[in-house]
Coordinates of all heavy atoms in Angstrom, one line a residue:
D251 N -14.5 82.8 -25.1 CA -13.4 83.5 -25.7 C -12.3 82.4 -26.1 O -12.2 81.4 -25.4 CB -12.7 84.5 -24.8 CG -11.5 85.2 -25.3 OD1 -11.8 86.0 -26.3 OD2 -10.4 85.0 -24.9
L252 N -11.6 82.7 -27.2 CA -10.5 81.8 -27.6 C -9.4 82.7 -28.1 O -9.4 83.4 -29.0 CB -11.0 80.8 -28.8 CG -10.1 79.7 -29.1 CD1 -10.9 78.6 -29.8 CD2 -9.0 80.2 -30.1
A253 N -8.3 82.6 -27.3 CA -7.1 83.4 -27.6 C -6.0 82.5 -28.0 O -5.6 81.6 -27.3 CB -6.7 84.2 -26.3
E254 N -5.5 82.7 -29.2 CA -4.4 81.8 -29.8 C -3.1 82.3 -29.6 O -2.7 83.5 -29.5 CB -4.7 81.6 -31.3 CG -6.0 81.0 -31.6 CD -6.1 80.8 -33.1 OE1 -5.3 80.1 -33.7 OE2 -7.0 81.3 -33.7
E255 N -2.1 81.3 -29.4 CA -0.7 81.6 -29.4 C 0.0 80.6 -30.3 O -0.6 79.8 -30.9 CB -0.1 81.4 -27.9 CG -0.8 82.4 -26.9 CD -0.3 82.1 -25.5 OE1 0.5 81.2 -25.3 OE2 -0.7 82.9 -24.6
A256 N 1.4 80.8 -30.4 CA 2.1 79.9 -31.3 C 1.9 78.5 -31.0 O 1.8 77.6 -31.9 CB 3.5 80.4 -31.4
S257 N 1.9 78.1 -29.7 CA 2.0 76.6 -29.4 C 0.6 76.2 -28.8 O 0.5 75.1 -28.3 CB 3.0 76.4 -28.2 OG 2.8 77.3 -27.2
G258 N -0.4 77.0 -29.0 CA -1.8 76.5 -28.5 C -2.8 77.7 -28.3 O -2.6 78.7 -29.0
A259 N -3.8 77.4 -27.6 CA -4.8 78.4 -27.4 C -5.4 78.3 -26.0 O -5.5 77.2 -25.5 CB -5.9 78.2 -28.5
T260 N -5.9 79.4 -25.5 CA -6.6 79.5 -24.2 C -8.1 79.6 -24.5 O -8.5 80.5 -25.2 CB -6.2 80.7 -23.4 OG1 -4.7 80.5 -23.1 CG2 -6.9 80.8 -22.1
V261 N -8.8 78.6 -24.0 CA -10.3 78.6 -24.3 C -11.0 78.9 -22.9 O -10.8 78.2 -21.9 CB -10.7 77.2 -24.8 CG1 -12.2 77.2 -25.1 CG2 -9.8 76.8 -26.0
T262 N -11.8 80.0 -23.0 CA -12.5 80.4 -21.8 C -14.0 80.1 -21.9 O -14.6 80.3 -23.0 CB -12.3 81.9 -21.6 OG1 -10.9 82.2 -21.4 CG2 -13.1 82.3 -20.2
F263 N -14.6 79.5 -20.9 CA -16.0 79.0 -21.0 C -16.8 79.9 -20.2 O -16.4 80.4 -19.1 CB -16.1 77.6 -20.6 CG -15.4 76.6 -21.5 CD1 -14.1 76.2 -21.1 CD2 -16.0 76.1 -22.6 CE1 -13.4 75.3 -21.9 CE2 -15.3 75.2 -23.4 CZ -14.1 74.8 -23.1
A264 N -18.0 80.2 -20.6 CA -19.0 81.0 -19.8 C -19.4 80.2 -18.6 O -19.6 78.9 -18.7 CB -20.1 81.3 -20.7
S265 N -19.7 80.9 -17.6 CA -20.2 80.2 -16.3 C -21.5 80.9 -15.9 O -21.6 82.1 -15.9 CB -19.1 80.4 -15.2 OG -17.9 79.7 -15.5
D266 N -22.4 80.1 -15.5 CA -23.7 80.5 -15.0 C -24.1 79.8 -13.7 O -24.5 78.6 -13.7 CB -24.8 80.4 -16.0 CG -26.1 81.0 -15.6 OD1 -26.2 81.5 -14.5 OD2 -27.1 80.9 -16.4
A267 N -23.8 80.4 -12.5 CA -24.0 79.7 -11.3 C -25.5 79.4 -11.0 O -25.8 78.6 -10.2 CB -23.5 80.6 -10.2
K268 N -26.4 80.2 -11.7 CA -27.9 79.9 -11.5 C -28.5 78.9 -12.4 O -29.6 78.6 -12.3 CB -28.6 81.2 -11.7 CG -28.2 82.4 -10.7 CD -28.9 83.6 -10.9 CE -28.6 84.7 -9.9 NZ -29.3 86.0 -10.1
Q269 N -27.6 78.4 -13.3 CA -28.2 77.4 -14.3 C -28.4 76.1 -13.6 O -27.6 75.5 -12.9 CB -27.2 77.2 -15.5 CG -27.7 76.3 -16.6 CD -26.8 76.2 -17.8 OE1 -25.7 76.7 -17.7 NE2 -27.2 75.7 -18.9
A270 N -29.6 75.4 -13.9 CA -29.9 74.2 -13.3 C -29.5 73.0 -14.2 O -29.9 73.0 -15.5 CB -31.4 74.1 -13.1
C271 N -28.6 72.2 -13.7 CA -28.0 71.1 -14.6 C -28.5 69.7 -14.1 O -28.6 69.5 -12.9 CB -26.5 71.2 -14.5 SG -25.8 72.7 -15.0
T272 N -28.7 68.8 -15.0 CA -29.1 67.5 -14.7 C -27.9 66.8 -14.1 O -26.7 67.1 -14.3 CB -29.6 66.7 -15.9 OG1 -28.6 66.8 -16.9 CG2 -30.9 67.3 -16.5
M273 N -28.1 65.6 -13.4 CA -27.0 65.0 -12.7 C -26.4 63.9 -13.5 O -25.6 63.0 -13.0 CB -27.5 64.4 -11.4 CG -28.0 65.5 -10.4 SD -26.6 66.6 -9.9 CE -25.6 65.5 -8.9
D274 N -26.7 63.8 -14.8 CA -26.1 62.8 -15.7 C -24.7 63.1 -16.0 O -24.3 64.3 -15.8 CB -26.9 62.5 -17.0 CG -27.2 63.8 -17.7 OD1 -26.9 64.9 -17.2 OD2 -27.6 63.7 -18.9
F275 N -24.0 62.2 -16.5 CA -22.5 62.4 -16.8 C -22.3 61.8 -18.2 O -22.2 60.6 -18.4 CB -21.7 61.7 -15.8 CG -20.2 62.0 -15.8 CD1 -19.8 63.3 -15.4 CD2 -19.3 61.2 -16.3 CE1 -18.5 63.6 -15.3 CE2 -17.9 61.5 -16.3 CZ -17.5 62.7 -15.9
V276 N -22.3 62.7 -19.3 CA -22.2 62.2 -20.6 C -21.1 62.9 -21.4 O -20.6 64.0 -20.9 CB -23.6 62.6 -21.4 CG1 -24.7 61.8 -20.6 CG2 -23.8 64.1 -21.4
P277 N -20.7 62.4 -22.5 CA -19.6 63.0 -23.3 C -20.2 64.2 -24.0 O -21.3 64.1 -24.6 CB -19.1 62.0 -24.3 CG -20.3 61.0 -24.4 CD -21.0 61.0 -23.1
R278 N -19.5 65.4 -24.1 CA -19.9 66.5 -24.8 C -18.8 66.9 -25.8 O -17.7 67.1 -25.3 CB -20.3 67.7 -23.9 CG -21.4 67.6 -22.9 CD -21.0 67.2 -21.6 NE -19.9 67.9 -21.0 CZ -20.0 68.9 -20.1 NH1 -21.2 69.3 -19.7 NH2 -18.9 69.5 -19.6
V279 N -19.1 67.1 -27.0 CA -18.0 67.4 -28.0 C -18.2 68.9 -28.5 O -19.3 69.2 -29.0 CB -18.1 66.5 -29.3 CG1 -17.0 66.8 -30.3 CG2 -17.9 65.0 -28.8
T280 N -17.2 69.6 -28.3 CA -17.2 71.0 -28.7 C -16.2 71.3 -29.9 O -15.1 70.8 -29.8 CB -16.7 72.0 -27.6 OG1 -17.6 71.8 -26.4 CG2 -16.7 73.4 -28.0
V281 N -16.7 71.9 -31.0 CA -15.9 72.2 -32.1 C -15.2 73.5 -32.0 O -15.8 74.5 -31.7 CB -16.8 72.2 -33.4 CG1 -15.9 72.5 -34.6 CG2 -17.6 70.9 -33.6

């Protein structure tokens, strides 16, 4: 979700507690 206001926006990210993630630490770019 992305909710806009005059001075910015609130960006909500999905969460999945069951998702298996690798232990690397890399840059991720979101548009």
Side-chain angles (χ1 to χ4, degrees):
D251 184 65
L252 191 152
E254 296 184 59
E255 300 178 355
S257 59
T260 298
V261 186
T262 303
F263 297 94
S265 298
D266 185 358
K268 297 181 180 180
Q269 186 177 12
C271 302
T272 55
M273 296 299 292
D274 55 348
F275 193 73
V276 301
R278 295 97 47 102
V279 179
T280 303
V281 179

